[in-house]
């Protein structure tokens, strides 16, 4: 008679160890299985039974002769190892089925979509430029955008050309004729005329980029809150507030993941702003 196997249980502190969390972020199942062996004392056969694989397959994964790439297999592994929700999120999965309707709290740092935080935009400059050079799409939500793309020495202007196709660029700038501009000017101690002039200068300079990329420029009317640079499936997000410019804000590097809400939410917001904006270029 076969004795039923007890589910694999790692101690809570094991899921919190840096090497385990790094393996989950990298979706390195082989390393994860090795940590399960180390911290739960589970054999390859025991792991195989828990996650619905053969022992031979588990051995191949542990010894890096085979990789896991299917989402349903990640789900099966997470269920078989009784991963807590923060570990599941690191792996790019939703909360466990038993807890999805319960509203349980979990560690926000476990969300793998926030992959890095910079103290200010200047710290992320080189990385943003690298991603821009490799991107097929570039979206920008700014106030006047001169430091980003509007001037010859702007952060991104020199990185828009493509040898193998044209980059699609969409830029949202604050409406120089709207009431929100006067409020924003007061917040940063600048005259409305000066700020509006900067927006109009950016629009004029952005028209010049039509020979380099497929560019669309829009005016939006709401009070600036978020500063967004999106390159394909990555975003660099900062905030506008009274007394500081967007480039002075901490900058969050946000990556698109299967279940993360931040990238999807910011992307949805950008599209909504575009829908309500006036195109000028």
């Amino acid at each position: 008679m076969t004795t039923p196997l007890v589910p694999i249980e790692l101690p809570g502190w094991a899921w919190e160890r840096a090497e385990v969390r790094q393996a989950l972020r990298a979706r390195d199942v082989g390393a994860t299985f090795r940590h399960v062996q180390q911290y739960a004392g589970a054999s390859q056969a025991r792991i195989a039974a828990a996650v619905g694989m053969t022992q031979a397959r588990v051995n191949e994964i542990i010894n890096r002769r085979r990789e896991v790439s299917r989402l349903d297999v990640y789900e099966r592994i997470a269920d078989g190892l009784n991963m807590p929700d923060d570990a599941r999120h690191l792996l790019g999965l939703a909360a466990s089925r038993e807890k999805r309707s319960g509203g349980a709290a979990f560690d926000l740092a476990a969300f793998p979509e926030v992959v890095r935080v910079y103290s200010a935009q200047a710290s992320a400059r080189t990385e943003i430029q690298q991603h821009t050079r490799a991107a097929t799409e570039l979206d920008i939500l700014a106030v006047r955008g001169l430091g980003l793309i509007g001037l010859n020495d702007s952060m991104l202007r020199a990185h828009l050309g493509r040898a193998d196709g044209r980059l699609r660029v969409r830029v949202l700038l604050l409406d120089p004729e709207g009431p929100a501009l006067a409020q924003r000017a007061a917040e940063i101690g600048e005259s409305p005329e000066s700020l509006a002039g900067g927006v109009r200068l950016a629009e004029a300079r952005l028209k010049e980029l039509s020979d380099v990329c497929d560019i669309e420029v829009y005016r939006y009317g709401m009070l600036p809150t978020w500063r967004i640079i999106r390159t394909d499936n990555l975003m660099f997000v900062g905030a506008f507030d009274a007394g500081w410019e967007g480039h002075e804000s901490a900058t969050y590097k946000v990556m698109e993941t299967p279940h993360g809400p931040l990238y999807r939410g910011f992307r949805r917001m950008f599209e909504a702003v575009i829908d309500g904006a006036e195109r000028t270029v």
Side-chain angles (χ1 to χ4, degrees), residues 10-207:
L10 269 70
W13 55 261
W15 293 113
E16 297 173 0
R17 292 187 65 88
E19 64 270 22
V20 176
R21 295 172 73 82
Q22 179 56 40
L24 293 170
R25 283 193 184 94
R27 286 190 162 183
D28 187 341
V29 176
T32 301
F33 282 170
R34 289 193 293 274
H35 294 315
V36 171
Q37 290 179 304
Q38 178 181 0
Y39 296 120
S43 66
Q44 292 184 11
R46 177 70 189 86
I47 294 172
V51 302
M53 294 181 180
T54 64
Q55 181 179 348
R57 178 63 52 82
V58 169
N59 181 272
E60 288 177 332
I61 293 171
I62 287 176
N63 290 288
R64 301 192 181 282
R65 294 194 298 273
R66 184 181 291 270
E67 296 181 354
V68 174
S69 59
R70 287 170 43 190
L71 183 60
D72 63 314
V73 179
Y74 287 120
E75 287 276 8
R76 200 167 71 233
I77 290 168
D79 292 342
L81 300 181
N82 288 299
M83 285 187 188
D85 282 349
D86 62 341
R88 294 178 66 97
H89 286 299
L90 286 169
L91 195 57
L93 302 176
S96 62
R97 293 180 178 86
E98 293 79 8
K99 297 181 181 179
R100 284 175 194 170
S101 61
F106 48 81
D107 179 9
L108 288 178
F111 273 95
E113 57 180 337
V114 179
V115 294
R116 192 166 183 180
V117 181
Y118 296 90
S119 60
Q121 179 185 284
S123 301
R125 180 184 180 93
T126 300
E127 185 170 0
I128 295 173
Q129 290 171 333
Q130 290 173 344
H131 286 293
T132 299
R133 287 194 294 270
T136 59
E137 295 182 351
L138 173 65
D139 285 339
I140 294 173
L141 173 57
V143 170
R144 53 191 147 191
L146 290 173
L148 289 176
I149 196 172
L151 300 175
N152 289 345
D153 60 351
S154 297
M155 181 172 70
L156 301 178
R157 195 175 181 98
H159 304 280
L160 304 179
R162 295 289 182 276
D164 56 350
R166 289 170 68 87
L167 175 67
R168 180 197 180 196
V169 181
R170 297 184 296 174
V171 183
L172 279 160
L173 303 177
L174 184 59
D175 185 351
E177 300 172 4
L181 182 130
Q183 183 175 346
R184 181 57 186 163
E187 288 180 343
I188 60 175
E190 188 173 340
S191 71
E193 294 77 15
S194 173
L195 183 54
V199 175
R200 294 189 177 97
L201 172 60
E203 288 177 337
R205 295 303 313 274
L206 290 174
K207 289 180 182 178

Side-chain angles (χ1 to χ4, degrees), residues 239-254:
F240 297 104
D241 200 0
W244 80 52
E245 300 271 18
H247 67 271
E248 299 170 330
S249 162
T251 299
Y252 293 79
K253 180 181 177 182
V254 183

